[in-house]
Amino acid sequence: MPEDTRRTFLKTVGLAVGATGIAGATGTNLGVLADGDTPSTPLLDDESWTTFQYDAANTGHSPGSAPSEYPFVEWSKQIGDGGDIISPPTIVDGTGYTVDTNGTLTAFDLETRETDWQVSLQNGTPQKDGQQTHNLSPTIVGDVVLASVHGVLHARNISDGSVQWTKAFDNADTENNWILSPTTVTDGTVYVSADEDGLYALDLVDGSERWSVDASGEMYAPAVVDGMAYFVADDGIHALDADDGTEQWHVEENRNPHAALTVADGRVYADNREYVMAYDADDGTERWSYDGSDYFGGSSAYADGTLFCITESGNPFALDGATGTRLWHSSEVGGSSSSLSVADGIVYVVNDGVFATKDEIGAFGLDAKTGDVLWRYQPRDVSHYAYQPASPTIADGTLYVGDDMGYVYALAPTAPDGTNWRFEIASETTEEFIRNSNLSPAVGEETVYSRTGWDVVAINDESGTERWRFEEEIELYLAPVSANGTVFVVGEGDNTGEDLLYALDEQAGTVQWRHSFDSRVHQITASEDGTVYAYSDEQLFALDADTGKQEWVLTGDDCSPIHSPRTDFVVTDDDILYGAYSHLYAIDRTDGTIRWSVYHRLMYTGLAVEDGIAYVGVNGTSDDEPNNVLAFDVADGSELWSTQVTDMPIDGIAVDGDSLYATLGFGETPLLVQLSADDGTERWRFEGNAEGDGVVTAPVAVDDTVYFAANRRVYAFDSDGNRTERWETTGTIAESPVVADDAVYVPSVEQVGSGLLCFVYSFDRDE
């Protein structure tokens, strides 16, 4: 059959090779090997993303769906060697495959997040100074995984990573960071471009060369559609017969390429940084060109007659695929550009911080019709700047992105298992508005109470819906406290110079009473027997919880000030205890007298009391003043024992029976340690990941389980040191979990644009 006739026949029957979503095609021919050497042509579904830009036409268009609203983090996982830039995974049959910049190829189970296998593709070749291997997503074809490192293309077995074959490109510029393009595979042939070398067609079975053509420059993933192979080099666009490499047409005008070609609806779309152009796929005739007066960046995506592009500075825009007319342009997205992905009317892009501020980086979802930003999410650290930046991956309704710390994120449209609900308490607000966090929720009768800045909101603990809201012309700055059917909140009076303590009815949110203070209130707590305690600038107040009437006040003097609390208040039958910068206080609850105090030159950072013993953490500044955990007799303040866990600072203390827990490592490696409450002997420890946002909270111990948060996660461990739960949030957790009968609650704060997005999460303790 003549070539022209063969191509016409392929188009007529709709076998757009490797081009899902093109000209009405419903599947992708990836030349999968079955039964040894026999090529087969299975169809992809929305649960797979097997190659760069989804298909052999580089459309970036998945027939599935992904989040259209602000997503949940279903999970995040540090893959590979850790700490290296990682490609978003290519996905087949519930397994993800990634390559990191250290040359590690990893296969991992998407459900369990456990690594199936992992191999190094370095082949003993040391990295040159400053060189990173290319973070290109691998290509999955049947039982073969294709990935490249240092100018060598590796074919590995999908089941265990064993070698199938390797192909070294001797003429490639091995001094260049970016050696090979992503591979494109159709009908048992692997197409790959090598910088300063050309385009190669290799046999998928053994890697032998079928044909090659010479070309120079930085080249990108070839597109293979309807028996034609298209690639772009310094001398323009080449259209070749996919079977033998015979050139069909060549457009010399399109020089200085900056992204892979996209082929759709009989057109080849290209950019030369200054223009976006469309050519006839059969003969190379120019259809239209678009001058956006800006350099263009990553590879485009195509869906439903629209071409989605992005500038080098990270601004997406959309063109009519037939005419080149600009449909929209978004300036809300910034940073250097990644390639685009599109699914179900949403355009996805991940931008880094190379040419942007922190406010502009992250993963974005945009309305494909209008360009409106529907949501943005900022992973721990994003940077995919390269000549062939990876595109976000879409599979099974989930969006996958990678970051600079080696994490892969699964962003889902709905709450994952174990997450009951998420309630937004502040949006696009500022750090000053959050006022040093203090967003920890309080739990009452079937209700969760949270501060939102100016308001207090009551949330149904089952549904996560709002029950009532207390709105007053004051700025609230302390977390609410709930006790005996009353919610206590503190705010700053508007232009009065006073701080106000409100007592609200838990059921209706109405004000029961109000008490004013002349100075800043730093902490409050409430006892179950009807007393509210408040510290306000060297004074400790006790108020009747029913009436707000003052019962007593403890006032320091110039010689013996009552220092500001650095730990939570702990109320016992007889005392109220707290740790300050240099003192641990035990204060008689009946009259407010100091029963005893322990002086320490260092800062108290945690306090827990059980069975007449107070356990504290003390942070030092030198070897002579170490970071210790100490135990004191509550009766007289005498020291029972002291132990140094590590040289890291102590973040918090919790006690449950004979088990004492300490969290350590603020800004460093998160660490949870269990000690004997009898003598401080260490029993076990859990060491987290040093990468991430570096925040670790104080622990909470309930029912033989200890909870704490670190690195955007909430952890639960049983008393034997076995991790029983791990829940994910979208942002930093700076305050301890609040544990109720059947749920765990935490506030989460995420950078979004120039402000912060804050949620309260509810997690299922029984899940």
Side-chain angles (χ1 to χ4, degrees):
M1 181 183 296
E3 285 303 312
D4 289 344
T5 305
R6 184 176 73 88
R7 283 196 293 271
T8 302
F9 170 76
L10 288 172
K11 293 178 183 177
T12 302
V13 299
L15 296 178
V17 180
T20 297
I22 299 172
T26 58
T28 301
N29 180 344
L30 288 179
V32 175
L33 296 181
D35 300 325
D37 300 345
T38 305
S40 61
T41 57
L43 299 181
L44 289 181
D45 55 29
D46 62 349
E47 297 184 6
S48 298
W49 183 290
T50 64
T51 190
F52 172 77
Q53 288 296 88
Y54 182 74
D55 52 34
N58 298 333
T59 66
H61 179 205
S62 168
S65 63
S68 59
E69 298 178 347
Y70 188 79
F72 287 85
V73 177
E74 185 171 353
W75 53 264
S76 65
K77 172 77 172 180
Q78 196 168 42
I79 307 295
D81 289 344
D84 297 306
I85 301 174
I86 196 163
S87 69
T90 44
I91 294 171
V92 174
D93 295 333
T95 301
Y97 303 85
T98 66
V99 178
D100 67 28
T101 51
N102 200 38
T104 302
L105 173 64
T106 303
F108 63 98
D109 188 292
L110 293 178
E111 182 176 355
T112 66
R113 271 81 73 192
E114 297 297 327
T115 297
D116 291 336
W117 52 262
Q118 190 173 80
V119 295
S120 173
L121 304 182
Q122 292 284 11
N123 287 336
T125 303
Q127 286 192 202
K128 298 176 177 62
D129 291 342
Q131 185 181 35
Q132 290 181 326
T133 56
H134 205 334
N135 61 318
L136 298 175
S137 296
T139 298
I140 314 301
V141 187
D143 61 356
V144 177
V145 183
L146 297 165
S148 62
V149 171
H150 286 314
V152 178
L153 180 61
H154 299 257
R156 296 294 182 123
N157 188 284
I158 199 171
S159 62
D160 58 10
S162 58
V163 177
Q164 301 285 80
W165 51 263
T166 60
K167 167 67 176 176
F169 295 81
D170 296 333
N171 295 329
D173 178 9
T174 55
E175 295 297 324
N176 195 307
N177 284 354
W178 320 116
I179 305 301
L180 301 177
S181 75
T183 57
T184 303
V185 183
T186 64
D187 290 335
T189 301
V190 180
Y191 301 87
V192 61
S193 298
D195 283 359
E196 306 298 337
D197 197 9
L199 178 69
Y200 289 80
L202 310 176
D203 189 286
L204 178 61
V205 175
D206 57 15
S208 59
E209 184 177 315
R210 290 184 172 176
W211 55 261
S212 65
V213 294
D214 292 334
S216 64
E218 297 159 357
M219 288 174 289
Y220 304 90
V224 183
V225 178
D226 292 348
M228 296 271 280
Y230 305 90
F231 78 101
V232 62
D234 277 355
D235 63 350
I237 298 174
H238 298 263
L240 311 175
D241 186 289
D243 286 338
D244 58 20
T246 304
E247 187 163 274
Q248 304 301 297
W249 54 262
H250 175 210
V251 176
E252 295 185 359
E253 289 76 12
N254 195 302
R255 298 177 182 274
N256 195 21
H258 202 55
L261 302 172
T262 297
V263 182
D265 286 342
R267 292 179 288 272
V268 178
Y269 299 101
D271 80 76
N272 65 355
R273 297 193 72 181
E274 296 180 0
Y275 294 88
V276 178
M277 287 149 289
Y279 299 94
D280 188 283
D282 284 334
D283 58 19
T285 303
E286 183 177 316
R287 296 282 190 87
W288 53 258
S289 66
Y290 170 78
D291 179 4
S293 300
D294 195 359
Y295 283 164
F296 300 118
S299 297
S300 59
Y302 185 92
D304 301 323
T306 302
L307 183 71
F308 303 97
C309 308
I310 192 164
T311 67
E312 191 175 51
S313 58
N315 301 137
F317 61 98
L319 305 176
D320 185 289
T323 66
T325 303
R326 195 178 81 176
L327 304 177
W328 53 259
H329 175 273
S330 175
S331 59
E332 295 183 56
V333 181
S336 56
S337 56
S338 76
S339 298
L340 300 170
S341 301
V342 60
D344 196 24
I346 311 295
V347 179
Y348 301 98
V349 61
V350 179
N351 279 351
D352 66 27
V354 176
F355 298 130
T357 66
K358 185 178 181 181
D359 297 343
E360 297 175 312
I361 66 175
F364 296 79
L366 291 82
D367 188 301
K369 293 187 179 297
T370 65
D372 294 337
V373 174
L374 302 175
W375 56 265
R376 72 172 73 185
Y377 168 69
Q378 187 172 311
R380 292 171 176 87
D381 192 10
V382 177
S383 181
H384 287 305
Y385 184 66
Y387 293 108
Q388 205 42 272
S391 57
T393 298
I394 302 165
D396 196 21
T398 302
L399 183 73
Y400 298 91
V401 299
D403 75 4
D404 251 8
M405 295 181 177
Y407 282 89
V408 170
Y409 297 79
L411 305 181
T414 57
D417 290 344
T419 300
N420 297 322
W421 47 261
R422 179 181 70 187
F423 187 92
E424 184 179 309
I425 57 175
S427 176
E428 297 288 341
T429 188
T430 64
E431 292 190 33
E432 183 180 1
F433 189 65
I434 297 302
R435 299 293 292 273
N436 298 319
S437 296
N438 290 320
L439 294 173
S440 186
V443 179
E445 185 68 26
E446 300 180 349
T447 307
V448 178
Y449 306 95
S450 177
R451 180 178 73 85
T452 67
W454 296 98
D455 307 333
V456 172
V457 62
I459 309 165
N460 184 289
D461 65 358
E462 290 290 333
S463 64
T465 56
E466 183 176 321
R467 296 185 58 185
W468 54 258
R469 185 178 291 260
F470 170 71
E471 300 175 289
E472 194 78 3
E473 292 300 319
I474 62 169
E475 183 179 352
L476 305 177
Y477 60 84
L478 287 183
V481 171
S482 173
N484 299 323
T486 304
V487 181
F488 303 95
V489 296
V490 174
E492 182 178 16
D494 186 18
N495 299 321
T496 65
E498 297 179 334
D499 277 19
L500 303 172
L501 171 62
Y502 287 85
L504 309 177
D505 179 79
E506 278 197 348
Q507 296 303 311
T510 54
V511 178
Q512 305 301 297
W513 53 261
R514 188 179 79 173
H515 186 90
S516 63
F517 298 87
D518 293 333
S519 56
R520 173 67 53 177
V521 176
H522 296 281
Q523 189 170 157
I524 61 171
T525 194
S527 64
E528 292 299 323
D529 60 1
T531 304
V532 179
Y533 301 94
Y535 180 92
S536 175
D537 283 354
E538 300 185 9
Q539 290 183 304
L540 181 64
F541 294 84
L543 308 177
D544 185 284
D546 292 328
T547 65
K549 181 180 178 180
Q550 181 175 302
E551 296 180 349
W552 52 257
V553 59
L554 172 62
T555 302
D557 54 37
D558 292 339
C559 295
S560 301
I562 306 301
H563 296 85
S564 179
R566 299 299 298 176
T567 72
D568 289 337
F569 290 145
V570 175
V571 179
T572 69
D573 290 340
D574 301 318
D575 304 301
I576 178 169
L577 294 91
Y578 73 89
Y581 277 105
S582 57
H583 287 73
L584 176 65
Y585 294 100
I587 299 166
D588 191 299
R589 290 183 57 199
T590 59
D591 58 12
T593 57
I594 298 176
R595 287 206 310 109
W596 55 260
S597 68
V598 176
Y599 172 75
H600 212 295
R601 291 180 59 191
L602 312 178
M603 182 173 66
Y604 289 88
T605 59
L607 171 64
V609 179
E610 186 163 295
D611 294 334
I613 300 176
Y615 304 92
V616 299
V618 180
N619 283 346
T621 57
S622 67
D623 291 339
D624 295 332
E625 298 174 336
N627 304 318
N628 281 355
V629 178
L630 303 93
F632 295 94
D633 190 316
V634 173
D636 57 14
S638 59
E639 183 178 316
L640 302 177
W641 54 258
S642 174
T643 185
Q644 182 179 7
V645 180
T646 71
D647 59 358
M648 292 192 297
I650 297 169
D651 296 293
I653 300 289
V655 63
D656 187 19
D658 66 348
S659 298
L660 178 65
Y661 300 94
T663 50
L664 306 94
F666 183 87
E668 301 180 42
T669 301
L671 181 67
L672 171 70
V673 179
Q674 187 198 71
L675 309 173
S676 166
D678 294 331
D679 57 14
T681 304
E682 182 176 330
R683 293 172 175 169
W684 55 261
R685 64 173 55 193
F686 163 75
E687 187 170 324
N689 194 323
E691 303 289 350
D693 54 22
V695 173
V696 61
T697 72
V700 176
V702 179
D703 298 333
D704 294 324
T705 303
V706 60
Y707 304 84
F708 76 104
N711 206 3
R712 300 191 180 192
R713 296 165 173 162
V714 179
Y715 294 87
F717 286 82
D718 66 21
S719 57
D720 294 324
N722 302 307
R723 195 185 80 195
T724 59
E725 299 286 354
R726 192 184 79 184
W727 300 284
E728 299 267 354
T729 68
T730 50
T732 298
I733 308 169
E735 296 167 85
S736 299
V738 176
V739 181
D741 290 339
D742 56 2
V744 177
Y745 304 96
V746 292
S748 169
V749 180
E750 181 196 347
Q751 183 81 33
V752 176
S754 59
L756 300 171
L757 182 59
C758 309
F759 294 100
V760 169
Y761 280 81
S762 170
F763 299 116
D764 189 352
R765 284 184 68 192
D766 298 326
E767 181 64 33

